[in-house]
Amino acid sequence: MVKILKTLANHSPLRKRKSKSKATTIRLLQWNILADGLGEDGFLATEFSPIFESADVKSKSYSANEFMKLVREAKLADTASGMASKFSELKGAEKRLKKLKESAEGYSELRETTRKLKEETDRSELVKLKKQFQNSPQLQKVDGEILSWSKRSERIKRIALQARPDV
């Protein structure tokens, strides 16, 4: 029994192995694509602060944290009112509608259901907030410089090439 244990111990991956060669270092680059370009608050980079409601410099402005607070409050209100589930219903109805041909049975009823759901969701707090800030140059800049996939992928490539990782 002792001989078997010694044999197992000699082949254990936990056993220290003596290596004659020098250790090899591999540099690994890991990138969180979803968090790319986001600020410390977990969403909006603060470089775009203040955020104005419109291009008019006299319009009301918000810090990035204040803006995100508005977004969180709108999401909570929509969840509490059942509006979040209406958005899910609308998304599902729109997907089914795209798959159906106009001549298919049930198409007109589904189109009417989708229209009604769209009217309901247009009254959501998030949609109101989106309309309130639809002409904000700062949010348009966020869309174009942070959320735009082509800009993000170019930034990721540039940083990755500068880091010169092995993997």
Side-chain angles (χ1 to χ4, degrees):
M1 179 74 159
V2 174
K3 190 173 186 179
I4 293 173
L5 291 176
K6 281 184 181 178
T7 304
L8 288 174
N10 287 337
H11 298 292
S12 168
L14 301 175
R15 183 175 74 88
K16 289 184 180 178
R17 295 184 185 254
K18 293 181 183 177
S19 175
K20 293 180 183 175
S21 65
K22 293 183 178 183
T24 303
T25 304
I26 297 175
R27 294 181 315 161
L28 172 71
L29 175 66
Q30 182 177 346
W31 195 278
N32 183 343
I33 290 177
L34 296 177
D36 177 46
L38 304 181
E40 290 176 16
D41 61 355
F43 184 71
L44 190 60
T46 54
E47 66 194 75
F48 298 104
S49 193
I51 299 164
F52 290 90
E53 289 181 345
S54 70
D56 181 5
V57 292
K58 294 179 183 176
S59 67
K60 191 167 181 179
S61 68
Y62 300 84
S63 72
N65 288 335
E66 290 171 330
F67 177 75
M68 287 312 302
K69 183 179 179 189
L70 291 174
V71 172
R72 282 190 295 276
E73 289 171 352
K75 286 174 78 174
L76 287 171
D78 282 354
T79 300
S81 70
M83 194 62 71
S85 61
K86 295 280 185 199
F87 277 113
S88 294
E89 286 179 50
L90 175 61
K91 189 175 181 178
E94 286 174 334
K95 280 184 179 181
R96 290 190 306 275
L97 194 61
K98 280 183 181 180
K99 290 179 183 178
L100 281 180
K101 293 182 180 176
E102 285 188 40
S103 59
E105 186 178 329
Y107 180 86
S108 57
E109 293 85 4
L110 186 56
R111 188 179 66 211
E112 183 60 23
T113 300
T114 305
R115 186 191 63 75
K116 287 179 181 177
L117 284 168
K118 181 77 174 121
E119 282 179 8
E120 285 183 60
T121 56
D122 280 347
R123 294 189 296 268
S124 94
E125 294 302 314
L126 277 172
V127 172
K128 288 177 189 174
L129 196 61
K130 183 178 178 181
K131 287 177 184 175
Q132 179 182 347
F133 286 91
Q134 70 185 1
N135 295 319
S136 169
Q138 292 78 22
L139 294 183
Q140 290 170 356
K141 196 172 181 181
V142 167
D143 247 0
E145 294 183 18
I146 291 181
L147 300 179
S148 164
W149 177 247
S150 62
K151 296 273 185 169
R152 291 173 77 187
S153 64
E154 287 302 316
R155 186 171 51 251
I156 290 168
K157 282 184 213 173
R158 187 177 65 248
I159 291 169
L161 290 173
Q162 288 172 349
R164 297 180 37 224
D166 298 316
V167 180

